[in-house]
Amino acid sequence: MPSSVESPRRAGAAGPVRVPWIAMYHSVGDRSDDPYRITVTPDRLERQLRWLRGRGLRGVSVRELLAARARGEGHGLVGLTFDDGYADFLTGAAEVLARWECTATLFALPGRLGGDNAWDPLGPRKPLLTADGIRQAARSGVEIGSHGLTHVDLTGADDLTLKAETVESRALLEALTGAPVTGFCYPYGAVDARAAGAVRDAGYDYGCAIDPGALTGPYALPRVYVGQHDTGVRLLLKYRLHRLRRRPVEEPR
């Protein structure tokens, strides 16, 4: 495994470190109708986690990953994230994660609990977790983060919407779970300096994007898309590409 992917800052060391490797998932279930390629089957997820574990790696939540790296103990850890809070996380992903002793971060939309992915015009409609489902995921050890309130592109949001999507979503999820919510994920992966600043000002410790370019840092962490066709060979290539493309940044504090 390329050492740069998992090279945390040494205890007491200063300066930038390599960007952590964070995988991005969405739905885990039936993918017979999947125009946006957001779904992997439970069997494919199983194979991907088996591949990670077979190489001495373990998938963890972003919060756990960043905390371990800050202590100089992040070797062998990769981040696993699941966007949107689909109901099939509990039926398709949770058991597989537990079987391979992995945890994850679930980015939920408290303004759409029990609803569906209405923001995807092509469908299919996929149910989202209810409040009870979010609590169940949290009780299992999954980190609950915010994906905004209603899945709005923050780069085009007015000030009132931007505040609601960051501040209000966090407050609602904390009230729901009874635990701090420290992570944010930008809908559509879209981030600019204004959105990243709003996430920081709302009290989050980190923000996840997709490919934030020059904004890469604690409030715009890049992630790697993982889909149904990602076999072990493809995952290895994505690791290596990550090493080549991602410049060192300062760790979240």
Side-chain angles (χ1 to χ4, degrees):
M1 214 67 256
S3 61
S4 63
V5 173
E6 296 302 324
S7 296
R9 190 203 310 258
R10 298 184 306 277
V17 295
R18 289 199 178 274
V19 176
W21 200 88
I22 302 173
M24 177 181 67
Y25 290 91
H26 288 77
S27 169
V28 182
D30 177 20
R31 60 177 305 273
S32 56
D33 184 9
D34 190 31
Y36 296 104
R37 297 187 301 138
I38 63 170
T39 307
V40 299
T41 62
D43 179 65
R44 176 57 72 189
L45 177 62
E46 180 107 35
R47 295 180 192 181
Q48 290 164 345
L49 296 185
R50 179 187 300 126
W51 183 86
L52 287 175
R53 297 295 275 160
R55 280 146 188 82
L57 302 172
R58 183 167 68 90
V60 297
S61 70
V62 179
R63 179 172 57 201
E64 182 177 346
L65 173 63
L66 296 180
R69 285 167 61 92
R71 299 191 304 268
E73 301 172 358
H75 182 75
L77 300 181
V78 298
L80 299 180
T81 64
F82 292 79
D83 290 10
D84 303 331
Y86 290 105
D88 61 20
F89 178 84
L90 291 179
T91 57
E95 183 178 340
V96 180
L97 289 166
R99 185 156 49 246
W100 291 99
E101 299 182 329
C102 292
T103 61
T105 299
L106 178 69
F107 291 114
L109 297 156
R112 292 188 182 271
L113 296 178
D116 61 33
N117 56 328
W119 60 88
D120 285 336
L122 297 181
R125 298 281 72 87
K126 285 179 170 283
L128 303 177
L129 288 166
T130 63
D132 284 343
I134 295 293
R135 294 189 191 97
Q136 182 178 340
R139 287 195 298 269
S140 73
V142 171
E143 177 193 10
I144 304 299
S146 173
H147 201 29
L149 195 60
T150 58
H151 206 283
V152 171
D153 182 346
L154 298 189
T155 63
D158 59 35
D159 290 346
L160 187 61
T161 300
L162 188 58
K163 184 174 182 179
E165 293 289 326
T166 56
V167 176
E168 187 176 340
S169 68
R170 183 183 184 212
L172 288 171
L173 287 172
E174 288 184 338
L176 182 64
T177 63
V181 171
T182 60
F184 188 89
C185 175
Y186 302 95
Y188 308 103
V191 60
D192 57 15
R194 177 170 166 266
V199 168
R200 180 195 62 230
D201 293 345
Y204 296 94
D205 290 341
Y206 71 86
C208 283
I210 295 179
D211 192 3
L215 287 174
T216 296
Y219 291 97
L221 293 170
R223 292 179 298 161
V224 177
Y225 164 81
V226 179
Q228 179 68 14
H229 299 298
D230 284 320
T231 60
V233 171
R234 286 172 60 96
L235 288 174
L236 179 59
L237 289 175
K238 288 185 175 185
Y239 268 116
R240 289 179 173 171
L241 181 61
H242 174 87
R243 180 186 183 186
L244 292 173
R245 293 179 63 196
R246 304 305 183 191
R247 64 183 178 82
V249 297
E250 293 292 340
E251 289 279 16
R253 297 182 183 277

